C-alpha cells in the first residue's frame, strides 16, 4: 500500500471510530454535558514515605460530589505521566477508591507501584461506592440508584463513565501531568470501566484492563450474566455493539488485557474471540505489538505474573516519553 492510500485508509478508520464513539455515548442515557465543573476542594493532604496524597472532592456532574484520591509521587519528573485508577465492585461498597491504597486479597495495592514509577494517579469513588454509598445495604442502594436513573432517562453505567471522563479531564489539567501520557487501569468492574473509557475518549494513550474482558455473546452462552452487577447492563447495547465493536475504538493505541482462564466472568473462548479480531486490526495498522491479550491459569485474581506484565507495559508505554 502506498503512502497516500495508507493515509486515506487511516483517515477513513478514524472517521469510522468517531461515528461509532458518538453512537456509544448515545447509548448511555441523558448525561450532564451542560454542567460547568467548579474547582476541586482539597479536604486534606497526607505525607507518605514515597508520595503525597491529596484527598479531594471533585465537581464533575453537578448532581453529587465525587470524592477522590490524588497520589503525587515524591520522585517526580515533570511533566509526569498520569493514570486514572478505577476500583472494582466485588460487593465491597465501602472500599471504593481506597483500593488504590489498600489493595484486596486478590490484588495487591498499586500505590507503591505508581509512586515508584513516578506516575501521578487519580482514583474516584464510583456511584454507590466509598463515600458515595448512601445506603447501609450497598446492594440495595446500587439497585435503587439504577432504577431511579432509568426512570429519569439516565443509565447508571453512563453516569459512571461520565464521572470517569470528568476525572480524566481533571487529571489532565494538573500542572504535574503530561496530558499526552494518560493511562487507565482497573480490575473487574474497573477493568470494564478502563476499556469502555478508552473507547469513548481518544485522549487515553494506554489501556490496561484486568479480569473482565470477554465477548458478550460468549458470556451469555456460558450463563455468566449473573456474575456481573446491575451496573454492567446498558439498554439496547447488543443492538449496536459487541465487545470487539467497543474495543476497536481503542485501536491502534496500546492495549493490555490480562484475564484468568478459570474466571467465570471471562469465558476463555470469549477472550480468544476478542483477541483474534483485535490483533487483526492492530496488524492492519502495523501495531500488532501494541495489543496483548493474555489468559493466565487462574481465577478472578491478579497473579504476580500478571503484575509483572502490567508494570512492564506501564514503563514502556506510559513512563517512557
Amino acid at each position: 500500500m502506498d503512502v497516500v492510500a495508507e493515509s486515506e485508509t487511516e483517515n477513513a478508520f478514524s472517521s469510522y471510530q468517531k461515528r461509532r464513539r458518538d453512537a456509544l455515548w448515545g447509548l448511555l442515557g441523558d448525561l450532564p454535558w451542560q454542567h460547568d465543573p467548579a474547582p476541586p476542594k482539597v479536604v486534606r493532604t497526607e505525607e507518605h514515605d514515597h508520595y503525597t496524597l491529596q484527598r479531594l472532592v471533585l465537581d464533575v456532574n453537578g448532581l453529587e460530589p465525587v470524592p477522590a484520591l490524588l497520589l503525587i509521587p515524591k520522585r517526580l519528573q515533570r511533566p509526569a505521566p498520569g493514570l486514572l485508577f478505577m476500583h472494582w465492585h466485588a460487593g465491597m461498597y465501602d472500599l471504593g477508591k481506597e483500593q488504590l491504597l489498600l489493595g484486596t486479597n486478590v490484588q495487591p495495592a498499586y500505590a507503591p507501584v505508581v509512586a515508584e514509577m513516578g506516575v501521578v494517579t487519580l482514583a474516584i469513588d464510583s456511584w454507590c461506592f466509598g463515600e458515595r454509598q448512601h445506603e447501609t445495604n450497598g446492594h440495595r442502594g446500587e439497585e435503587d440508584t439504577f432504577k431511579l436513573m432509568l426512570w429519569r432517562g439516565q443509565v447508571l453505567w453512563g453516569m459512571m463513565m461520565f464521572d470517569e471522563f470528568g476525572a480524566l479531564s481533571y487529571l489532565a489539567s494538573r500542572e504535574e501531568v503530561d496530558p499526552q501520557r494518560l493511562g487507565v487501569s482497573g480490575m473487574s468492574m474497573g477493568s470494564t470501566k478502563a476499556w469502555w473509557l478508552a473507547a469513548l475518549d481518544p485522549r487515553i494513550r494506554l489501556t490496561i484492563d484486568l479480569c473482565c474482558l470477554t465477548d458478550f455473546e460468549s458470556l451469555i452462552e456460558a450463563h455468566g450474566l449473573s456474575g456481573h452487577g446491575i451496573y454492567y447492563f446498558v439498554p439496547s447495547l447488543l443492538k449496536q455493539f459487541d465487545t470487539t465493536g467497543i474495543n476497536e475504538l481503542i485501536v491502534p493505541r496500546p492495549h493490555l488485557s490480562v484475564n484468568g482462564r478459570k474466571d467465570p466472568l471471562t469465558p476463555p473462548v470469549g477472550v480468544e474471540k476478542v483477541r483474534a479480531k483485535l490483533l487483526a486490526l492492530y496488524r492492519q495498522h502495523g501495531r500488532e505489538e501494541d495489543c496483548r491479550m493474555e489468559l493466565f491459569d487462574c481465577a478472578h485474581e491478579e497473579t504476580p505474573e500478571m503484575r509483572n506484565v502490567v508494570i512492564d507495559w506501564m514503563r514502556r508505554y506510559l513512563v517512557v516519553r
Side-chain angles (χ1 to χ4, degrees):
M1 183 181 296
D2 61 39
V3 175
V4 173
E6 184 176 351
S7 177
E8 290 177 350
T9 300
E10 290 291 335
N11 289 338
F13 185 64
S14 294
S15 296
Y16 165 79
Q17 286 180 309
K18 184 181 185 307
R19 292 194 305 272
R20 294 293 282 165
R21 190 171 289 124
D22 291 343
L24 192 59
W25 273 117
L27 291 173
L28 297 181
D30 296 339
L31 298 172
W33 291 111
Q34 74 286 352
H35 177 64
D36 184 17
K41 298 178 182 178
V42 179
V43 178
R44 71 174 183 270
T45 300
E46 304 172 4
E47 296 297 336
H48 296 257
D49 288 343
H50 302 293
Y51 58 87
T52 298
L53 187 74
Q54 289 187 354
R55 292 187 175 271
L56 308 169
V57 175
L58 304 182
D59 171 33
V60 298
N61 57 51
L63 299 172
E64 72 170 35
V66 179
L69 299 176
L70 182 70
L71 184 154
I72 305 173
K74 291 186 175 176
R75 198 178 77 180
L76 191 70
Q77 292 186 0
R78 298 174 184 245
L83 178 72
L84 188 59
F85 176 89
M86 302 170 176
H87 68 76
W88 76 347
H89 190 297
M92 298 175 68
Y93 295 96
D94 60 336
L95 180 61
K97 65 185 180 305
E98 305 298 325
Q99 185 178 356
L100 172 64
L101 308 179
L102 303 176
T104 70
N105 63 330
V106 295
Q107 185 188 48
Y110 263 92
V113 174
V114 295
E116 189 276 330
M117 286 195 288
V119 179
V120 177
T121 304
L122 180 69
I124 67 170
D125 280 330
S126 190
W127 288 87
C128 310
F129 286 84
E131 296 178 68
R132 300 174 77 181
Q133 180 185 346
H134 305 307
E135 295 281 347
T136 302
N137 184 322
H139 177 74
R140 185 177 68 188
E142 182 182 26
E143 289 210 340
D144 286 353
T145 300
F146 180 91
K147 295 170 184 176
L148 181 58
M149 283 187 176
L150 280 185
W151 267 0
R152 291 174 171 170
Q154 300 166 327
V155 176
L156 176 57
W157 184 247
M159 296 300 290
M160 293 164 75
M161 285 292 96
F162 188 85
D163 282 3
E164 298 289 359
F165 178 85
L168 186 74
S169 296
Y170 171 67
L171 179 64
S173 75
R174 293 284 307 199
E175 63 177 3
E176 306 93 342
V177 173
D178 180 354
Q180 301 303 314
R181 288 189 293 159
L182 298 175
V184 290
S185 182
M187 176 177 175
S188 197
M189 180 177 77
S191 164
T192 309
K193 277 189 171 187
W195 51 265
W196 265 81
L197 189 65
L200 290 165
D201 192 338
R203 293 177 298 176
I204 294 168
R205 175 177 175 179
L206 171 64
T207 307
I208 299 177
D209 57 77
L210 302 95
C211 303
C212 216
L213 177 74
T214 194
D215 173 64
F216 293 138
E217 292 298 335
S218 299
L219 184 66
I220 293 169
E221 292 170 6
H223 304 285
L225 298 187
S226 62
H228 291 273
I230 198 168
Y231 71 87
Y232 191 75
F233 301 93
V234 173
S236 298
L237 177 65
L238 299 188
K239 291 182 178 181
Q240 297 191 45
F241 289 89
D242 58 12
T243 307
T244 302
I246 297 173
N247 280 269
E248 71 178 2
L249 303 182
I250 303 172
V251 179
R253 290 170 284 150
H255 186 176
L256 171 67
S257 180
V258 292
N259 301 276
R261 192 174 292 279
K262 301 174 184 176
D263 187 348
L265 297 185
T266 56
V269 65
V271 177
E272 291 165 351
K273 183 177 180 181
V274 174
R275 175 172 59 190
K277 291 182 177 180
L278 288 178
L279 278 175
L281 275 174
Y282 276 87
R283 193 176 300 119
Q284 289 175 19
H285 288 80
R287 300 280 292 276
E288 185 175 1
E289 72 280 1
D290 291 344
C291 178
R292 182 175 179 183
M293 299 190 165
E294 295 289 342
L295 283 161
F296 293 79
D297 191 28
C298 63
H300 198 63
E301 59 189 310
E302 181 189 343
T303 66
E305 186 180 5
M306 286 178 173
R307 175 64 61 98
N308 289 337
V309 174
V310 169
I311 290 174
D312 177 61
W313 271 62
M314 288 181 67
R315 288 194 187 282
R316 282 197 289 150
Y317 290 100
L318 205 60
V319 175
V320 176
R321 299 190 185 188

